[in-house]
Amino acid sequence: MYYFDKRLQYPVKVESPDPVFARMLQQAIGGVEGEIRVCMQYFFQAWGSRGPTTKYRDMLLNTATEEIGHIEMLATAVAMNLETAPSKVQEASATDTVVGAVMGGENPRHLIEGMLHRHILSTGMAAFPANSEGVPFDMSHIYASGNLAADMYCNVAAEATGRTLAVRLFNATNDAGMRDMLHFMIARDTMHQEQWLAVIEELGGPAGALPIPNSFPQSKEHEKFNYNFFATAADGSPPPEGRWTHGPSLDGKGQFSVFKNQPMGEEPVLGPARPDSGAQSEQIA
């Protein structure tokens, strides 16, 4: 069960409404890096959480609920940036070629007019659950595996890409109100990255969590290959040297080494086509 407060989690103010920036903010709402994604990801991870302790479920539920507040802030920001937008698409104009380049290198007028069509006809100058191109968020980027460590790594990646987007949005506007809102959201992304890494540390850190799932006995792996870096350069050039090519593995259970990739199997030869498969007669024995 959830409760709501009519007040925003953090103030949202717009000094100079900007339809171009409203379009860009849609990415932070319904893009693959956006707040709908992390909100739903954390909820589904929590709802499926199993284990002798409920603290990880409770933590995820708290953070997922916080993300609802972030969606609300961004939706409010989109609506406020559209307050002075033209009510007719043909009145829309945009001449900032830098913004046009950032948003895909297309004619910026076409970009703004396309999004204004949606904001005018579908939502009455309000935000909607889609990215900056108007593509609806479809939940295909929600990762909830049922494995706590795997989910935490997914969450770190989600917050890292979300923070990257928020920084780009911060740099894309000179509006003091929008920058103030974004500097709050960037800070929360920092905390959430640290939060998920802290869970991994509680699970024993990378050494204890890896390989995921750590409940599968490695004796059942093909242990000859579990810490090899496969070098696949056809010209025989040496592999890129790094932490992954030599020294102890991160879980402390093996040694990294380099294996020159080569065929270990046979050329596949499939049987003839079935008579009822619709293949050519030459394919059927």
Side-chain angles (χ1 to χ4, degrees), residues 10 16 34 43 83 110 115 121 125 139 156 190 204-205 253:
Y10 189 83
S16 301
F43 269 132
E83 286 191 348
H110 294 162
M115 187 58 73
L121 298 176
M125 297 299 191
M139 298 289 186
V156 171
T190 297
K253 301 174 184 177

Side-chain angles (χ1 to χ4, degrees), residues 28-41:
I29 294 175
V32 295
E33 320 93 328
E35 300 297 320
I36 294 177
R37 183 264 180 95
V38 291
C39 177
M40 290 293 101
Q41 182 157 304

Side-chain angles (χ1 to χ4, degrees), residues 179-194:
R179 283 198 154 196
D180 182 52
M181 177 192 76
L182 288 164
H183 97 300
F184 169 78
M185 299 189 74
I186 291 168
R188 297 310 300 152
D189 290 337
T190 297
M191 170 55 192
H192 293 156
Q193 290 181 43
E194 296 281 329

Side-chain angles (χ1 to χ4, degrees), residues 3-12 68-70 72-73 76:
Y3 298 90
F4 75 92
D5 190 313
K6 291 187 290 185
R7 296 165 295 182
L8 295 173
Q9 182 183 4
Y10 189 83
V12 176
I68 296 177
H70 295 177
E72 181 183 30
M73 289 164 57
T76 301

Side-chain angles (χ1 to χ4, degrees), residues 24 31 81 85 96 110 140 149 180 192 274:
M24 297 173 75
N81 272 288
D96 190 334
H110 294 162
S140 62
D180 182 52
H192 293 156
R274 291 169 40 169

Side-chain angles (χ1 to χ4, degrees), residues 6-269:
K6 291 187 290 185
R7 296 165 295 182
L8 295 173
Q9 182 183 4
Y10 189 83
V12 176
K13 299 177 181 178
V14 177
E15 295 185 358
S16 301
D18 182 357
V20 176
F21 196 62
R23 182 182 192 272
M24 297 173 75
L25 286 172
Q26 282 287 159
Q27 190 69 18
I29 294 175
V32 295
E33 320 93 328
E35 300 297 320
I36 294 177
R37 183 264 180 95
V38 291
C39 177
M40 290 293 101
Q41 182 157 304
Y42 303 159
F43 269 132
F44 278 94
Q45 288 176 4
W47 293 329
S49 179
R50 299 177 186 273
T53 175
T54 63
K55 71 175 183 178
Y56 298 119
R57 173 188 172 92
D58 294 345
M59 176 197 62
L60 284 161
L61 287 171
N62 274 274
T63 305
T65 306
E66 176 189 353
E67 300 292 2
I68 296 177
H70 295 177
I71 300 169
E72 181 183 30
M73 289 164 57
L74 287 164
T76 301
V78 167
M80 292 175 72
N81 272 288
L82 290 170
E83 286 191 348
T84 60
S87 58
K88 296 181 180 179
V89 172
Q90 60 265 34
E91 295 173 5
S93 64
T95 58
D96 190 334
T97 56
V98 174
V99 171
V102 170
M103 297 173 74
E106 304 175 46
N107 183 325
R109 180 184 178 88
H110 294 162
L111 291 168
I112 300 307
E113 288 182 354
M115 187 58 73
L116 277 176
H117 267 114
R118 298 180 180 92
H119 281 137
I120 292 169
L121 298 176
S122 299
T123 65
M125 297 299 191
F128 55 103
N131 67 14
S132 59
E133 300 296 326
V135 179
F137 186 77
D138 65 1
M139 298 289 186
S140 62
H141 295 277
I142 301 302
Y143 302 119
S145 70
N147 180 292
L148 185 60
D151 286 348
M152 292 304 107
Y153 279 113
C154 288
N155 294 351
V156 171
E159 292 288 347
T161 53
R163 190 173 190 274
T164 299
L165 175 62
V167 167
R168 289 171 178 164
L169 288 168
F170 184 92
N171 293 331
T173 182
N174 291 319
D175 188 278
M178 287 293 87
R179 283 198 154 196
D180 182 52
M181 177 192 76
L182 288 164
H183 97 300
F184 169 78
M185 299 189 74
I186 291 168
R188 297 310 300 152
D189 290 337
T190 297
M191 170 55 192
H192 293 156
Q193 290 181 43
E194 296 281 329
Q195 179 179 330
W196 310 132
L197 289 170
V199 174
I200 294 170
E201 183 177 281
E202 276 200 358
L203 298 174
L210 298 176
I212 298 169
N214 62 3
S215 57
F216 184 84
Q218 285 193 265
S219 60
K220 294 185 178 181
E221 297 180 11
H222 198 322
E223 293 180 284
K224 178 181 177 180
F225 299 107
N226 55 6
Y227 296 108
N228 292 136
F229 175 80
F230 275 34
T232 55
D235 61 2
S237 58
E241 286 289 328
R243 176 67 181 84
W244 56 89
T245 59
H246 59 273
S249 60
L250 295 178
D251 57 17
K253 301 174 184 177
Q255 292 284 322
F256 288 130
S257 61
V258 176
F259 177 80
K260 181 174 172 49
N261 202 6
Q262 56 188 333
M264 290 180 278
E266 304 295 331
E267 178 182 356
V269 179

